Amino acid sequence: MTGQPALEAPLLSVRGLRKSFGDNVVLDDVDLDVQPGECVVLIGASGSGKSTLLRCINLLEQVDDGVITLAGLDITDPRVDADEVRSRTGIVFQAYNLFPHLTVLDNVTLAPRRVHKVARAEAESRALAMLERVGLAEKARARPDDLSGGQQQRVAIARAMVNSPQLLLLDEVTSALDPELVGEVLDLLGELREEGMTMILSTHEMGFARNVADTVCFLDGGRVLEQGPPAEVLGAPREPRTRQFLSRLVS
Ligand SMILES: Nc1ncnc2c1ncn2[C@@H]1O[C@H](COP(=O)(O)OP(=O)(O)OP(=O)(O)O)[C@@H](O)[C@H]1O
Ligand SMILES: [Mg+2]
């Protein structure tokens, strides 16, 4: 021991990540570090690779090259148990993807019971605790179609958190919502962040990005062009491409 305070190791580390679909290079040498408790917000034009990056981290896409390390484990190693990794990286999509024929409670318990073989009583008790957390315990027996869009998205967030993930990935989770329902979901994400949840989220809501992000990461053509605190990247961007992107949003 040197007596020096140890630098905190990143919870997630992405190095040299490359991903193509055919000839289309979608992620081009992406590096990203996420510290425990950090909220990283991905911004960038449509097609810049935000969703693909989140999907690679959740092992929904196979990477072509590079390494993703989660809590010290190389999750791009083909020998890892992908289901186990996914239970440590909850993901929420723009379209909440709830099963309409299942109750809210069954939607939330499905993965723990089917994939992780958690007993029903245990899975339901965890799910109810999460539904309570997102303010929807009284909707446990309802069907998704009987809930508002904002409520359905909060169920999807409860589902993503039911295995107590180390990292929460959120892909434009408010962009399918009616404007008056956006606030309740953004408020919930702000609370989770205050509670120390480590998050990577993509959004086109720059006001939200400014409020919740510790780090804003601007993707352009599959590359991280600029990253830093919101006051820098959103307030005083260095790169002309970032300035151009932000000016198009406000005009
Ligand atoms: N499964 C796929 N097969 C082929 N091409 C894909 C696939 N998924 C994404 N792409 C392509 O990868 C590129 C990046 O897409 P991605 O969805 O990651 O962008 P994005 O930044 O999330 O965009 P948006 O803001 O519109 O959500 C696009 O050119 C897209 O057409
Ligand atoms: Mg996307």
Side-chain angles (χ1 to χ4, degrees), residues 11-37:
L11 176 67
L12 181 84
S13 150
V14 175
R15 285 292 173 276
L17 184 62
R18 293 181 195 275
K19 174 70 187 173
S20 300
F21 293 106
D23 295 338
N24 186 7
V25 179
V26 174
L27 296 175
D28 187 6
D29 201 12
V30 168
D31 290 345
L32 182 70
D33 277 339
V34 182
Q35 304 298 327

Side-chain angles (χ1 to χ4, degrees), residues 155-176:
V155 172
I157 292 170
R159 177 178 58 182
M161 296 200 313
V162 75
N163 287 312
S164 305
Q166 292 170 302
L167 178 64
L168 196 55
L169 308 168
L170 303 133
D171 193 7
E172 288 197 48
V173 293
T174 59
S175 52

Side-chain angles (χ1 to χ4, degrees), residues 46-62:
S46 184
S48 59
K50 303 179 297 294
S51 297
T52 306
L53 176 55
L54 293 172
R55 291 171 58 84
C56 285
I57 295 169
N58 196 242
L59 302 183
L60 293 169
E61 301 287 354
Q62 209 175 353

Side-chain angles (χ1 to χ4, degrees), residues 4 8 12 28 65 76 89 105 119 176 182 198 204-205 216 219 223 229 249:
Q4 294 283 327
E8 205 170 4
L12 181 84
D28 187 6
D65 201 2
T76 40
T89 55
L105 185 63
V182 167
T198 311
H204 288 283
E205 311 238 356
V216 175
L219 285 182
R223 288 178 159 264
L249 290 180

Side-chain angles (χ1 to χ4, degrees), residues 83-125:
D83 285 333
E84 200 273 324
V85 170
R86 279 191 209 107
S87 77
R88 301 205 273 140
T89 55
I91 192 163
V92 186
F93 302 100
Q94 175 178 343
Y96 351 105
N97 301 330
L98 300 175
F99 290 108
H101 61 289
L102 298 181
T103 64
V104 162
L105 185 63
D106 288 344
N107 267 281
V108 179
T109 58
L110 191 65
R113 291 182 56 207
R114 294 284 163 78
V115 181
H116 304 290
K117 309 296 178 206
V118 177
R120 176 191 280 269
E122 165 68 17
E124 292 196 346
S125 118

